[in-house]
Amino acid sequence: MQSFVINSALDMHLHLRDEDMLKLVAPLTSNTFSGALIMPNLVPPITTKEALLSYKERIKEATKEDLFDAHLTLFFQNNYSYEFLNDIKNDIIAIKLYPAGITTNSDTGVASMDVENLRPTLESMSKLGIPLCIHGETNGFVMDREAEFMPIYESIAKAFPDLKIIMEHITTKDAIELLDKYDNLHATVTLHHLLITLDDVAGGMLNPHLFCKPIAKRPRDKRALLKAALKAHPKLMFGSDSAPHPKHKKEACGCAAGVFTSPIALQVLTQLFEEHNCLDNLNSFISLNAQKIYNLSPKTKMIKLIKKDFVVPEIYEYNNENVVPMYAGEKLSWSLVD
Ligand code: NCD
Ligand code: ZN
């Protein structure tokens, strides 16, 4: 039977939430991944050392005995002092910047993306070598939000040439093209944006489980993202942006944004890279590129997959929490070996 081994997989953009949802979803990543970059958009968002360290403890409890490193991030504020950042820098992998109100739990994000407004914190981050992750969308027309953000990425990249910047969950050809223009720009791409376009979300019957921010774009965007991922473009990393919301918040009028992909990510990526005869590049895309960009040395964790059908569960549940995964009830052609 055909098999493939993934070595020390890293998910460089992951939402683990808190309480029962954390207990439900964290093991679905920590059982197979060696590490992940954890998003800070809790309620309230993580802005203090105390909140950060206690969240780290709760993640540790939820991931039990698994060989797994949770790399935490802080929620960007434009008035963090140099002393505060110097004190917290060894406990975080990066700081995540959200424009105010752009996505789930980002109301206290930055009101203006003007470089001068961001300068105090960015200057300290640059000096201290703390990477900056950005949710790059304006509040313009939904299909144009990421493209409209490109000049903002450029202005930050130019103003802070020593700051490592990661364009999170890119969805457009524009973002792929910008990657090569500045040495200090990098990016993550999700699984779902390699697979779907707006057609899959809203072209037929509306599929709330594929609704996320940024919204999936056009076929040419998907092609550009896929091409870069399949060749393991060295500035591009896998970041699932797996973003669990309970079923009643997805199957609702006023559907929450986020696609839950943690339990299927490795199987589907293997399937996708195999279909395009690019399996040789998968370990770079899912681990080595992130190791280089973030200077990580993950714990060695070999995960074997075999070419055998796997039917994705309809729902994952724990106590009163539940979440519907992408491809619920569908058959994948690769499975994890226990
Ligand atoms: C994320 C969430 O639910 O926290 N949602 C999403 O659609 N991706 C937030 C985010 O990364 O934008
Ligand atoms: Zn996210």
Side-chain angles (χ1 to χ4, degrees), residues 37-41 46 52 55 71-75 91-96 133:
L37 181 149
I38 313 301
M39 286 293 149
N41 62 331
I46 298 178
L52 185 94
Y55 189 39
H71 301 287
L72 269 68
T73 58
L74 197 64
F75 189 95
D91 298 306
I92 57 173
I93 187 168
I95 297 183
K96 173 71 183 287
C133 300

Side-chain angles (χ1 to χ4, degrees), residues 13 15 39 169 241:
H13 182 134
H15 298 271
M39 286 293 149
H169 45 48
D241 194 15

Side-chain angles (χ1 to χ4, degrees), residues 13 15 17 41 103-104 135 169 212-213 241 243 245 257-258:
H13 182 134
H15 298 271
R17 313 298 192 208
N41 62 331
T103 189
T104 311
H135 183 120
H169 45 48
C212 65
K213 302 286 178 77
D241 194 15
H245 292 277

Side-chain angles (χ1 to χ4, degrees), residues 33 73 76 85 88 102 114 117 140 156 160 226 277 290 295 325 337:
F33 282 78
T73 58
F76 185 94
L85 293 176
I88 206 166
I102 207 68
D114 192 90
N117 181 47
I156 301 175
F160 299 95
L226 190 57
N277 288 316
N295 299 320
V337 178

